[in-house]
Amino acid sequence: MKLNGQQLKFVQTWGILGNNWGINKTMAQLHALLMISENALSTEEMMETLQISRGNTNMNVRALVEWGLANKEMMAGDRRDFYSAKKDIWVVARQIAKQRRKRELEPVIAALVEIKSETVNTDENTELLNRVNDIEDFAIKIDKMLEKFEKSDENWFYKVLLKLV
Amino acid sequence: MKLNGQQLKFVQTWGILGNNWGINKTMAQLHALLMISENALSTEEMMETLQISRGNTNMNVRALVEWGLANKEMMAGDRRDFYSAKKDIWVVARQIAKQRRKRELEPVIAALVEIKSETVNTDENTELLNRVNDIEDFAIKIDKMLEKFEKSDENWFYKVLLKLV
DNA sequence: TTTTACTTTCAATAATTATTGAAAGTAAAA
DNA sequence: TTTTACTTTCAATAATTATTGAAAGTAAAA
């Protein structure tokens, strides 16, 4: 797939965004590429378009599938694997929220619970316990909100936004 | 400041969390340390506690101040600078949201607007324009939500959560 | 004015993370 | 069974990011 100037810019912008969010650049760029491609792409095609190696392409495209952001597709009479991206931004946002919640929020909550259970309520630990409790409360709230978001549809989100006004 | 086991664990957990969020480990650890410290700390004290170099401490503690997560304090009759953290988790969350919105969301919106203005509506660009429009809409919504959050107080957040049920 | 007690900068280096590409693996076709 | 057309793995290397620590900077005190 040969990209024109604007398409290239989109792919690159998405790469930078991903990078800022701790997602690796190639993974984000592959995602962008698949999102603007009309049809599913083969490894070869992605390699050529983004000028990256076979290994890199393979690893990151499979990471996309694992994140639920892309699908592997088989074409009749073709041995190659093809990949396509989920194009609905709401689906994409929900999948990302899900992954990040699982990987970032849940471990923190678990760690805080553990710290709490191990900490005796001495003078020395007053500040620690205050922080741990506050952060835990907050993290649980965010966690629940994201959980809700994951299960929601677009309308729910719009409704919430309306209520915020 | 000598840390006990649980305090150390808290500092480390916060460091890992920060790392997952693209904030550097030392910055997050310094933040954690200041959050559980009863009083403001000097550079020397932070260096010793976290076993890091002077330069590293100085750079990251100033980054915390820039992010609005810590304050520089002067003590009468002492030439050293002391630092303390904002301890209210709501304030902390709002400051972080503010920084991330400014650094991550706003540039993406700007880039999308730019791409849109440059892209002619040909067949080749159909998918690109669809993606760009969808993502822009979504990003603007999130942007507004965060903006609201930044200006809000704890009660607002609780109210929103209640309405979500 | 000089010294002292600090903070800040920044080039060098260490640590981490991403990428390559060749070799190994797999399964359909010959 | 062997070949062919692919995918996957992984050690080596490149790129990026964080950290050090010495040197330069700063301003209060002597």
Side-chain angles (χ1 to χ4, degrees), chain A residues 75-147:
Chain A
M75 302 241 185
D78 198 323
R79 262 199 225 172
R80 292 170 297 172
D81 296 345
F82 288 81
Y83 294 88
S84 65
K86 306 257 168 69
K87 295 191 173 184
D88 183 335
I89 184 67
W90 298 92
V91 174
V92 170
R94 282 209 301 272
Q95 296 283 15
I96 293 175
K98 194 175 181 173
Q99 293 295 330
R100 295 187 72 91
R101 185 170 73 84
K102 205 169 70 194
R103 290 173 195 219
E104 289 162 25
L105 215 47
E106 309 263 311
V108 171
I109 293 172
L112 293 175
V113 168
E114 200 182 309
I115 290 172
K116 230 164 70 172
S117 77
E118 291 166 0
T119 310
V120 286
N121 193 352
T122 58
D123 245 25
E124 181 186 70
N125 288 329
T126 313
E127 289 291 302
L128 175 68
L129 282 172
N130 285 339
R131 262 358 100 234
V132 168
N133 282 319
D134 289 356
I135 295 168
E136 196 193 353
D137 281 358
F138 181 73
I140 288 174
K141 287 201 178 72
I142 296 286
D143 195 58
K144 283 192 178 142
M145 189 171 141
L146 287 176
E147 212 178 352

Side-chain angles (χ1 to χ4, degrees), chain B residues 19-33:
Chain B
N19 215 223
N20 288 337
W21 273 73
I23 290 161
N24 101 31
K25 198 186 66 185
T26 302
M27 183 170 160
Q29 288 189 341
L30 282 167
H31 185 222
L33 175 62

